[in-house]
Amino acid sequence: MVRTIKRNDDDRLAEYYCENREFLMPWEPTRPKAFYSASGWAVMLEWMTTLQNQDAALFFLILEPKTEEVIGIINFSNILRGDFHACYLGYSLGKKWQGQGMMTEALQLAITFMFKKQNLHRIMASYMPHNARSAAVLTKLGFEKEGFAKAYLQINGQWRDHVLTALVNPHWKAVK
């Protein structure tokens, strides 16, 4: 199940990140202590909801349907309209859910929503060159390599190179 975040998802998100803290550490920025608490997430969810209301970002949870446990995250950030109609994609999947095709399936749903309902023309995503799983997911989804960025993002306290990719909406039409 994929849905946008809600203000009361603080406990779910804290649990997801606590459970996957060590697993996600090599792939994500250094996180403050509050990132692993429900109270910290309550503050972040207010900010994230504001960004969603301003059409600047959309944040999705991937939930296990029976328990509604968060099994992954999908973020579309820095949404720009005008002559660009594009955004950046970020995502993570919990350790115990790896290798089951869930991220590919969830991203297909979320990307379809972004292209059809949000009318975006381009979604950009990047991954570290040694992240074979992320490269495989993006390739399956049709993302094409567009470049290589040295020292692109600070991941786990160090500036890391990234492969730059993008997916273009072949059915995009200007809204009148």
Side-chain angles (χ1 to χ4, degrees), residues 4-65:
T4 55
I5 57 145
K6 297 178 184 174
R7 282 192 170 103
N8 65 349
D9 285 326
D10 50 351
D11 288 325
R12 282 187 181 92
L13 283 159
E15 186 177 317
Y16 170 76
Y17 280 105
C18 283
E19 183 177 317
N20 293 287
R21 186 177 194 161
E22 296 298 317
F23 176 71
L24 294 174
M25 195 175 288
W27 314 108
E28 295 198 337
T30 302
R31 303 293 191 185
K33 187 177 180 182
F35 193 81
Y36 301 98
S37 71
S39 61
W41 270 102
V43 172
M44 286 184 279
L45 285 165
E46 288 296 323
W47 169 74
M48 293 163 80
T49 302
T50 299
L51 289 175
Q52 286 188 156
N53 291 340
Q54 294 171 346
D55 195 32
L58 275 171
F59 304 96
F60 294 88
L61 300 180
I62 307 168
L63 301 169
E64 198 287 320

Side-chain angles (χ1 to χ4, degrees), residues 104-145:
T104 302
E105 184 180 341
L107 281 170
Q108 284 172 332
L109 293 169
I111 289 167
T112 298
F113 177 82
M114 296 304 286
F115 280 169
K116 289 186 176 180
K117 301 294 185 189
Q118 293 295 311
N119 196 36
L120 288 182
H121 175 253
R122 176 183 182 81
I123 298 173
M124 298 167 287
S126 64
Y127 62 90
M128 289 184 284
H130 63 280
N131 190 341
R133 283 186 185 243
S134 201
V137 166
L138 292 171
T139 299
K140 279 184 211 170
L141 293 167
F143 281 75
E144 294 183 25
K145 291 181 187 175

